[in-house]
Amino acid sequence: VTMEKDEKVQGLEIKVFNDFSSILFSNLEWLIQYPYGCVEQTLNTTLSNRVIADLLIDAAAKGTKLNGAQNSALKAANENSDLGFKRLAQFQAKTGGFGWFTDSGESDLNMSLLVMLGIALSDGATNSVSFYDYGPTYSWLTTKGILPGSPQGVVFSYIESVLVRKY
């Protein structure tokens, strides 16, 4: 490959990886984010942080020696996911459902299903969300006339199968 000389370029770095986890571990700092924004953004960053933490914990359990950056990433991912789950609770309205924003006071059916789905998916991967009291949200959802077999009904059935029947 022939390249023009550019005074701004100081060098070239080429990385070769033999598996997906190597790529992931080399780019963790770009994936770990503080949970912020609306309920959907908070849920997405929280779940991403939880997945990263679980991957690193699993890698260490399988004998991978984590380097300093990976240990820092594990700490940050754990802290951010814990903060995220606590922040998610702030979106819960008095009715039990979840709204788009912490001060909306209104429950939204689809946002409530999305949050509960995220919690159900996380609960399958880790025990970090077992502190969450999903009872009020579940009770609120049961009053919404969700049709079995509808897209909302499929999500609600999954939530029931993971969270409600588990506890």
Side-chain angles (χ1 to χ4, degrees):
V1 176
T2 305
M3 297 177 66
E4 299 277 329
K5 184 175 180 179
D6 185 343
E7 298 299 324
K8 297 176 189 171
V9 176
Q10 299 295 317
L12 175 66
E13 182 178 341
I14 298 175
K15 294 182 179 183
V16 178
F17 300 99
N18 64 350
D19 64 5
F20 177 73
S21 63
S22 298
I23 296 168
L24 176 68
F25 289 165
S26 70
N27 293 295
L28 288 177
E29 70 274 7
W30 301 106
L31 297 174
I32 298 171
Q33 296 181 16
Y34 181 81
Y36 68 94
C38 69
V39 70
E40 188 177 12
Q41 291 168 316
T42 301
L43 179 67
N44 289 333
T45 56
T46 299
L47 294 180
S48 298
N49 283 310
R50 187 70 259 148
V51 167
I52 292 166
D54 287 348
L55 285 171
L56 288 169
I57 290 167
D58 187 53
K62 291 180 179 175
T64 300
K65 183 169 171 41
L66 301 181
N67 64 31
Q70 292 165 341
N71 279 313
S72 294
L74 174 58
K75 182 179 182 223
N78 270 325
E79 289 172 357
N80 286 344
S81 66
D82 289 347
L83 285 170
F85 284 115
K86 288 175 185 167
R87 182 165 158 68
L88 281 172
Q90 296 173 359
F91 289 94
Q92 191 172 25
K94 291 179 180 167
T95 58
F98 285 84
W100 282 85
F101 298 98
T102 56
D103 59 353
S104 69
E106 295 180 25
S107 297
D108 180 87
L109 177 59
N110 290 321
M111 282 298 106
S112 298
L113 286 168
L114 180 65
V115 170
M116 292 297 285
L117 177 62
I119 290 170
L121 291 169
S122 294
D123 197 65
T126 181
N127 291 323
S128 68
V129 296
S130 59
F131 66 84
Y132 177 75
D133 179 14
Y134 56 84
T137 307
Y138 175 74
S139 294
W140 181 80
L141 288 171
T142 62
T143 68
K144 296 296 136 191
I146 299 171
L147 297 173
S150 69
Q152 292 171 332
V154 171
V155 171
F156 189 55
S157 293
Y158 177 77
I159 292 165
E160 285 184 310
S161 71
V162 173
L163 294 178
V164 177
R165 296 186 185 132
K166 180 176 180 179
Y167 300 101

